[in-house]
């Protein structure tokens, strides 16, 4: 189905806003910055997103949905998962951290969620879905693990992956093949339970 002209324009506005957030940050951007990046007047931007908060929430929701769509494509089909497949799964998730703009956007998401309850609700929903996808992977590799164990394991895996973004992106350190190998091995151990 072909998107409507309005949907295409709204997506272009979100693209521009995302670019502003990743280069200027939330604290240093205003509606005029978002409009200028999109090449439109502020009034045009406000036709689609009446307030700055509406625009920011839409950017965040779209970014989180993209991540969930990639995750769903990896986790929805398998009945069993080999070690090689779990390594590929982990490396794909880590691959999202290789894009500095994506990591900067997530840093903005986390900061915004501390101050904006509506953004926080979007973030909580994202992580609930993210953990559920990882739980499905754990269920394939550890079918005898009870529901509480699957949830705890999935939460630990997600925590390690998300925390690694700070070091792997260069924000607080640097990425290295040795630390990546250790991280992948640790995550595979958690996924397979051995």
């Amino acid at each position: 189905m072909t998107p409507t002209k309005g949907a295409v324009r709204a997506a272009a506005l979100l693209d521009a806003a995302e670019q502003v957030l990743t280069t200027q940050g939330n604290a240093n951007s205003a509606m005029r910055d978002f409009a200028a990046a999109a090449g439109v007047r502020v009034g045009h931007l406000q036709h689609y997103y009446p307030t700055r908060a509406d625009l920011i929430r839409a950017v965040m929701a779209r970014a989180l949905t993209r991540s969930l769509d990639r995750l769903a494509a990896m986790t929805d089909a398998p009945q069993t998962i080999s070690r090689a497949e779990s390594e590929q799964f982990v490396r794909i998730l880590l691959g999202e951290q290789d894009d500095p703009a994506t990591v900067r956007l997530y840093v903005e998401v986390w900061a915004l969620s501390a101050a904006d309850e509506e953004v926080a609700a979007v973030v909580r929903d994202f992580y609930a879905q993210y953990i559920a996808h990882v739980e499905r992977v754990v269920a394939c590799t550890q079918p005898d693990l009870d529901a509480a164990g699957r949830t705890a394991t999935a939460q630990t895996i997600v925590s390690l992956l998300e925390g690694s973004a700070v070091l792997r992106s260069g924000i607080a350190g640097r990425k290295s093949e040795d630390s990546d190998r250790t991280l992948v091995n640790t995550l595979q151990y958690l996924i397979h339970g051995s």
Side-chain angles (χ1 to χ4, degrees):
M1 181 177 186
T2 305
T4 65
K5 185 176 177 181
V8 170
R9 176 44 89 187
L13 294 171
L14 292 179
D15 290 342
E18 188 172 316
Q19 187 269 332
V20 169
L21 286 173
T22 59
T23 58
Q24 293 178 214
N26 175 57
N28 297 316
S29 56
M31 286 298 271
R32 70 180 173 282
D33 299 309
F34 298 122
V40 300
R41 294 182 327 275
V42 171
H44 183 81
L45 176 62
Q46 289 175 318
H47 172 75
Y48 289 90
Y49 304 102
T51 68
R52 186 176 181 283
D54 292 331
L55 176 63
I56 299 295
R57 280 190 290 274
V59 168
M60 299 309 160
R62 185 178 75 156
L64 296 172
T65 298
R66 279 193 312 254
S67 289
L68 285 175
D69 289 347
R70 283 190 292 272
L71 188 59
M74 291 185 285
T75 62
D76 284 349
Q79 297 298 317
T80 61
I81 296 173
S82 69
R83 283 217 177 258
E85 290 167 329
S86 69
E87 180 176 352
Q88 180 185 17
F89 169 72
V90 168
R91 290 211 180 262
I92 288 169
L93 292 174
L94 289 174
E96 286 197 348
Q97 298 172 2
D98 292 338
D99 176 19
T102 299
V103 175
R104 282 193 299 273
L105 184 61
Y106 274 86
V107 169
E108 292 297 325
V109 168
W110 297 329
L112 281 166
S113 67
D116 184 321
E117 181 52 37
E118 290 183 40
V119 172
V122 171
V123 170
R124 281 192 299 272
D125 182 57
F126 165 77
Y127 280 106
Q129 292 180 60
Y130 186 178
I131 289 165
H133 284 292
V134 175
E135 281 184 74
R136 284 197 286 283
V137 171
V138 173
C140 290
T141 59
Q142 300 182 59
D144 296 332
L145 191 60
D146 65 12
R150 280 192 306 271
T151 299
T153 300
Q155 288 173 335
T156 302
I157 290 167
V158 170
S159 295
L160 285 170
L161 285 164
E162 295 299 285
S164 71
V166 174
L167 291 175
R168 292 184 80 254
S169 67
I171 292 172
R174 63 184 171 82
K175 179 180 166 180
S176 80
E177 189 53 43
D178 289 339
S179 62
D180 273 5
R181 190 172 19 266
T182 301
L183 180 59
V184 169
N185 290 339
T186 301
L187 291 166
Q188 282 187 286
Y189 177 83
L190 289 168
I191 290 168
H192 292 276
S194 61

